[in-house]
Amino acid sequence: MPDAILAIEGLYKSFGALEVLKGIDCSVAPSEVVCIIGRSGSGKSTFLRCINFLEEPDEGVISVAGITLPAGAHTYEHRRQLIELRKRVGMVFQSFNLFPHKTVLENLIEAPLIVKKQTRAEAIALADALLHKVGLSEKRDVYPSKLSGGQSQRVAIARALAMQPKLMLFDEPTSALDPELTGEVLNVMRDLARDGMTMLVVTHELGFAREVADRVVFMDGGSIVEEGPPEQCLVNPKEARTRLFLERYLHNGQR
């Protein structure tokens, strides 16, 4: 896919003797929403963490918005390219990872001030716009301890967006939330998808994947087993392993 925002070739990752990723090839087009599903331990989170080199791949090549890096990029030779790649990627984790000693506004302007060298006025203007976007303008001056889980995750999304990334990665962003708070986070993600944000989402929210995803990827045992439109992967999968996963998922009453 020559115009892909994300392109990955031959991605391998092991932790000691445990091979977690076994030759992943994947690409994501501009404005595409790709949801990754699979059982716990299938390599989904490690895959996401390798994209911005939070985990160092053992083999493979990763390209994000024109920046291409090989495995082993944590070297002085690739330092500048690694910084540029990370500027292009926003990531939202299961836990919110907000700075507890900083207000919501201060959380949002930290990276634009330090990394992008924006003026304080520029960073604050963008932060206020993003807080309005996620419905939290009234929380700009409070500390994270005063936020609900759903509010904290929405702030985390706004903080990632403050770097104006080309690609957003979501690693099970609702897994730490009570069911009643999950909807407010998914609504923000729906809005991002409608606005054309390129998104790669690890999720157990199959209803969200069916509604929002352009493509669903099913991972098992460190490999991509099946991928395609939601109506294929979630309704009429071709692969037996995908069908078994969905049967167990529905049997357990998960969302």
Side-chain angles (χ1 to χ4, degrees), residues 60-95:
V61 177
I62 297 171
S63 298
V64 178
I67 301 295
T68 300
L69 285 171
H74 278 111
T75 63
Y76 183 79
E77 175 188 0
H78 295 292
R79 180 175 177 273
R80 188 178 299 277
Q81 287 173 290
L82 182 57
I83 292 171
E84 289 302 317
L85 182 144
R86 285 176 169 165
K87 285 180 182 179
R88 289 159 167 76
V89 179
M91 188 161 185
V92 178
F93 301 87
Q94 297 176 31
S95 54

Short mmCIF file of all heavy atoms in Angstrom, two decimals, residues 60-95:
data_model
loop_
_atom_site.label_atom_id
_atom_site.label_comp_id
_atom_site.label_asym_id
_atom_site.label_seq_id
_atom_site.Cartn_x
_atom_site.Cartn_y
_atom_site.Cartn_z
N GLY A 60 12.23 -6.93 11.49
CA GLY A 60 11.15 -6.25 10.80
C GLY A 60 11.45 -4.80 10.50
O GLY A 60 12.45 -4.24 10.96
N VAL A 61 10.57 -4.21 9.71
CA VAL A 61 10.68 -2.80 9.31
C VAL A 61 9.32 -2.15 9.56
O VAL A 61 8.27 -2.71 9.22
CB VAL A 61 11.06 -2.68 7.83
CG1 VAL A 61 11.09 -1.21 7.41
CG2 VAL A 61 12.42 -3.32 7.57
N ILE A 62 9.36 -0.95 10.15
CA ILE A 62 8.14 -0.22 10.48
C ILE A 62 8.22 1.16 9.84
O ILE A 62 9.21 1.88 10.01
CB ILE A 62 7.96 -0.09 12.01
CG1 ILE A 62 7.79 -1.48 12.64
CG2 ILE A 62 6.76 0.80 12.35
CD1 ILE A 62 7.82 -1.48 14.14
N SER A 63 7.16 1.54 9.11
CA SER A 63 7.08 2.87 8.50
C SER A 63 5.82 3.56 8.99
O SER A 63 4.74 2.97 8.96
CB SER A 63 7.03 2.76 6.97
OG SER A 63 8.21 2.17 6.46
N VAL A 64 5.97 4.79 9.44
CA VAL A 64 4.84 5.61 9.87
C VAL A 64 4.95 6.97 9.20
O VAL A 64 5.90 7.72 9.47
CB VAL A 64 4.79 5.77 11.40
CG1 VAL A 64 3.61 6.67 11.79
CG2 VAL A 64 4.68 4.43 12.10
N ALA A 65 3.99 7.27 8.32
CA ALA A 65 3.90 8.60 7.70
C ALA A 65 5.23 9.06 7.14
O ALA A 65 5.66 10.21 7.36
CB ALA A 65 3.35 9.60 8.71
N GLY A 66 5.91 8.18 6.42
CA GLY A 66 7.13 8.55 5.73
C GLY A 66 8.41 8.34 6.50
O GLY A 66 9.50 8.53 5.95
N ILE A 67 8.33 7.94 7.76
CA ILE A 67 9.52 7.62 8.55
C ILE A 67 9.63 6.11 8.65
O ILE A 67 8.71 5.44 9.13
CB ILE A 67 9.44 8.23 9.96
CG1 ILE A 67 9.28 9.75 9.88
CG2 ILE A 67 10.68 7.85 10.77
CD1 ILE A 67 10.46 10.47 9.30
N THR A 68 10.76 5.56 8.19
CA THR A 68 10.96 4.11 8.17
C THR A 68 12.13 3.73 9.07
O THR A 68 13.21 4.32 8.97
CB THR A 68 11.25 3.63 6.73
OG1 THR A 68 10.13 3.96 5.91
CG2 THR A 68 11.46 2.12 6.70
N LEU A 69 11.88 2.77 9.95
CA LEU A 69 12.91 2.31 10.88
C LEU A 69 12.96 0.79 10.91
O LEU A 69 11.92 0.12 10.88
CB LEU A 69 12.62 2.82 12.29
CG LEU A 69 12.91 4.30 12.56
CD1 LEU A 69 12.38 4.70 13.92
CD2 LEU A 69 14.40 4.57 12.48
N PRO A 70 14.14 0.23 11.00
CA PRO A 70 14.28 -1.21 11.15
C PRO A 70 14.28 -1.61 12.62
O PRO A 70 14.41 -0.75 13.52
CB PRO A 70 15.66 -1.48 10.54
CG PRO A 70 16.44 -0.25 10.91
CD PRO A 70 15.46 0.90 10.88
N ALA A 71 14.14 -2.89 12.88
CA ALA A 71 14.36 -3.39 14.23
C ALA A 71 15.75 -2.98 14.68
O ALA A 71 16.67 -2.87 13.87
CB ALA A 71 14.24 -4.92 14.26
N GLY A 72 15.89 -2.71 16.00
CA GLY A 72 17.18 -2.25 16.50
C GLY A 72 17.37 -0.76 16.38
O GLY A 72 18.50 -0.28 16.34
N ALA A 73 16.28 -0.01 16.31
CA ALA A 73 16.37 1.44 16.07
C ALA A 73 16.75 2.24 17.31
O ALA A 73 16.90 3.46 17.23
CB ALA A 73 15.07 1.96 15.49
N HIS A 74 16.87 1.60 18.46
CA HIS A 74 17.30 2.30 19.67
C HIS A 74 18.82 2.48 19.65
O HIS A 74 19.53 2.01 20.54
CB HIS A 74 16.85 1.55 20.94
CG HIS A 74 15.44 1.83 21.32
ND1 HIS A 74 14.44 0.89 21.23
CD2 HIS A 74 14.84 2.95 21.77
CE1 HIS A 74 13.30 1.42 21.62
NE2 HIS A 74 13.50 2.67 21.95
N THR A 75 19.31 3.14 18.64
CA THR A 75 20.74 3.40 18.51
C THR A 75 20.93 4.88 18.20
O THR A 75 20.00 5.56 17.76
CB THR A 75 21.37 2.57 17.38
OG1 THR A 75 20.78 2.97 16.13
CG2 THR A 75 21.16 1.08 17.60
N TYR A 76 22.12 5.36 18.42
CA TYR A 76 22.39 6.78 18.16
C TYR A 76 22.16 7.10 16.69
O TYR A 76 21.65 8.17 16.35
CB TYR A 76 23.83 7.12 18.55
CG TYR A 76 24.15 8.58 18.36
CD1 TYR A 76 23.74 9.53 19.29
CD2 TYR A 76 24.84 9.03 17.23
CE1 TYR A 76 24.01 10.88 19.12
CE2 TYR A 76 25.12 10.37 17.05
CZ TYR A 76 24.70 11.29 17.99
OH TYR A 76 24.97 12.62 17.81
N GLU A 77 22.48 6.14 15.82
CA GLU A 77 22.33 6.33 14.38
C GLU A 77 20.89 6.67 14.00
O GLU A 77 20.64 7.48 13.10
CB GLU A 77 22.78 5.07 13.65
CG GLU A 77 22.57 5.10 12.15
CD GLU A 77 22.84 3.75 11.50
OE1 GLU A 77 23.20 2.79 12.22
OE2 GLU A 77 22.68 3.66 10.27
N HIS A 78 19.93 6.04 14.68
CA HIS A 78 18.52 6.22 14.32
C HIS A 78 17.77 7.14 15.28
O HIS A 78 16.56 7.26 15.18
CB HIS A 78 17.82 4.85 14.32
CG HIS A 78 18.32 3.91 13.27
ND1 HIS A 78 18.12 4.13 11.92
CD2 HIS A 78 19.01 2.75 13.37
CE1 HIS A 78 18.67 3.14 11.24
NE2 HIS A 78 19.21 2.29 12.08
N ARG A 79 18.49 7.79 16.19
CA ARG A 79 17.83 8.54 17.26
C ARG A 79 16.88 9.61 16.71
O ARG A 79 15.74 9.72 17.14
CB ARG A 79 18.89 9.18 18.16
CG ARG A 79 18.32 10.00 19.31
CD ARG A 79 19.42 10.50 20.23
NE ARG A 79 18.89 11.33 21.28
CZ ARG A 79 18.69 12.64 21.18
NH1 ARG A 79 18.98 13.26 20.04
NH2 ARG A 79 18.19 13.35 22.18
N ARG A 80 17.34 10.39 15.73
CA ARG A 80 16.51 11.48 15.20
C ARG A 80 15.27 10.93 14.49
O ARG A 80 14.16 11.45 14.65
CB ARG A 80 17.32 12.34 14.24
CG ARG A 80 16.59 13.61 13.79
CD ARG A 80 17.48 14.44 12.90
NE ARG A 80 18.69 14.85 13.57
CZ ARG A 80 18.77 15.91 14.38
NH1 ARG A 80 17.69 16.66 14.59
NH2 ARG A 80 19.90 16.23 14.96
N GLN A 81 15.45 9.84 13.73
CA GLN A 81 14.31 9.24 13.03
C GLN A 81 13.30 8.67 14.03
O GLN A 81 12.09 8.76 13.82
CB GLN A 81 14.79 8.13 12.10
CG GLN A 81 15.50 8.61 10.85
CD GLN A 81 16.08 7.44 10.09
OE1 GLN A 81 17.04 6.80 10.53
NE2 GLN A 81 15.46 7.12 8.96
N LEU A 82 13.81 8.09 15.12
CA LEU A 82 12.91 7.52 16.14
C LEU A 82 12.08 8.62 16.78
O LEU A 82 10.87 8.45 17.00
CB LEU A 82 13.73 6.77 17.19
CG LEU A 82 12.93 6.09 18.30
CD1 LEU A 82 11.92 5.11 17.74
CD2 LEU A 82 13.88 5.37 19.27
N ILE A 83 12.69 9.75 17.06
CA ILE A 83 11.95 10.88 17.62
C ILE A 83 10.87 11.34 16.65
O ILE A 83 9.72 11.59 17.05
CB ILE A 83 12.91 12.04 17.97
CG1 ILE A 83 13.82 11.65 19.15
CG2 ILE A 83 12.13 13.31 18.30
CD1 ILE A 83 14.94 12.63 19.41
N GLU A 84 11.22 11.43 15.38
CA GLU A 84 10.26 11.89 14.38
C GLU A 84 9.11 10.88 14.22
O GLU A 84 7.95 11.28 14.07
CB GLU A 84 10.95 12.11 13.03
CG GLU A 84 11.87 13.31 13.02
CD GLU A 84 11.15 14.61 13.35
OE1 GLU A 84 10.02 14.80 12.85
OE2 GLU A 84 11.69 15.40 14.13
N LEU A 85 9.43 9.59 14.26
CA LEU A 85 8.36 8.59 14.17
C LEU A 85 7.41 8.71 15.35
O LEU A 85 6.18 8.68 15.17
CB LEU A 85 8.98 7.19 14.12
CG LEU A 85 8.00 6.01 13.97
CD1 LEU A 85 8.60 4.92 13.09
CD2 LEU A 85 7.61 5.42 15.32
N ARG A 86 7.96 8.87 16.55
CA ARG A 86 7.10 8.96 17.74
C ARG A 86 6.24 10.21 17.73
O ARG A 86 5.15 10.23 18.31
CB ARG A 86 7.96 8.88 19.00
CG ARG A 86 8.46 7.47 19.28
CD ARG A 86 9.39 7.42 20.45
NE ARG A 86 9.65 6.04 20.86
CZ ARG A 86 10.65 5.68 21.67
NH1 ARG A 86 11.47 6.61 22.15
NH2 ARG A 86 10.81 4.42 22.00
N LYS A 87 6.71 11.28 17.09
CA LYS A 87 5.89 12.48 16.98
C LYS A 87 4.63 12.22 16.16
O LYS A 87 3.62 12.90 16.31
CB LYS A 87 6.69 13.61 16.32
CG LYS A 87 7.72 14.27 17.21
CD LYS A 87 8.43 15.37 16.43
CE LYS A 87 9.50 16.04 17.25
NZ LYS A 87 10.21 17.10 16.46
N ARG A 88 4.71 11.25 15.27
CA ARG A 88 3.62 10.96 14.35
C ARG A 88 2.61 9.97 14.92
O ARG A 88 1.60 9.70 14.29
CB ARG A 88 4.18 10.43 13.02
CG ARG A 88 4.90 11.48 12.19
CD ARG A 88 5.86 10.87 11.19
NE ARG A 88 6.32 11.83 10.19
CZ ARG A 88 7.23 12.77 10.42
NH1 ARG A 88 7.78 12.88 11.64
NH2 ARG A 88 7.60 13.60 9.47
N VAL A 89 2.91 9.42 16.09
CA VAL A 89 2.07 8.37 16.67
C VAL A 89 1.56 8.81 18.03
O VAL A 89 2.34 9.18 18.92
CB VAL A 89 2.87 7.06 16.83
CG1 VAL A 89 1.98 5.98 17.45
CG2 VAL A 89 3.41 6.59 15.48
N GLY A 90 0.24 8.77 18.22
CA GLY A 90 -0.35 8.97 19.54
C GLY A 90 -0.80 7.63 20.08
O GLY A 90 -1.27 6.78 19.32
N MET A 91 -0.65 7.43 21.39
CA MET A 91 -1.02 6.13 21.96
C MET A 91 -1.82 6.33 23.23
O MET A 91 -1.48 7.16 24.09
CB MET A 91 0.21 5.28 22.24
CG MET A 91 -0.12 3.86 22.66
SD MET A 91 1.28 2.74 22.44
CE MET A 91 0.50 1.16 22.87
N VAL A 92 -2.90 5.57 23.34
CA VAL A 92 -3.76 5.58 24.52
C VAL A 92 -3.75 4.17 25.10
O VAL A 92 -4.02 3.20 24.40
CB VAL A 92 -5.20 6.00 24.17
CG1 VAL A 92 -6.10 5.96 25.40
CG2 VAL A 92 -5.19 7.40 23.56
N PHE A 93 -3.44 4.07 26.40
CA PHE A 93 -3.23 2.79 27.05
C PHE A 93 -4.47 2.37 27.85
O PHE A 93 -5.41 3.13 28.01
CB PHE A 93 -2.03 2.88 28.00
CG PHE A 93 -0.74 3.26 27.33
CD1 PHE A 93 -0.40 4.60 27.16
CD2 PHE A 93 0.14 2.30 26.86
CE1 PHE A 93 0.79 4.96 26.55
CE2 PHE A 93 1.34 2.65 26.25
CZ PHE A 93 1.65 3.98 26.08
N GLN A 94 -4.41 1.16 28.39
CA GLN A 94 -5.48 0.68 29.27
C GLN A 94 -5.56 1.56 30.52
O GLN A 94 -6.64 1.96 30.94
CB GLN A 94 -5.22 -0.77 29.67
CG GLN A 94 -5.22 -1.74 28.50
CD GLN A 94 -4.87 -3.15 28.94
OE1 GLN A 94 -5.16 -3.55 30.07
NE2 GLN A 94 -4.24 -3.91 28.06
N SER A 95 -4.41 1.82 31.13
CA SER A 95 -4.35 2.75 32.26
C SER A 95 -4.10 4.14 31.69
O SER A 95 -3.52 4.29 30.61
CB SER A 95 -3.24 2.36 33.23
OG SER A 95 -2.01 2.23 32.56
#
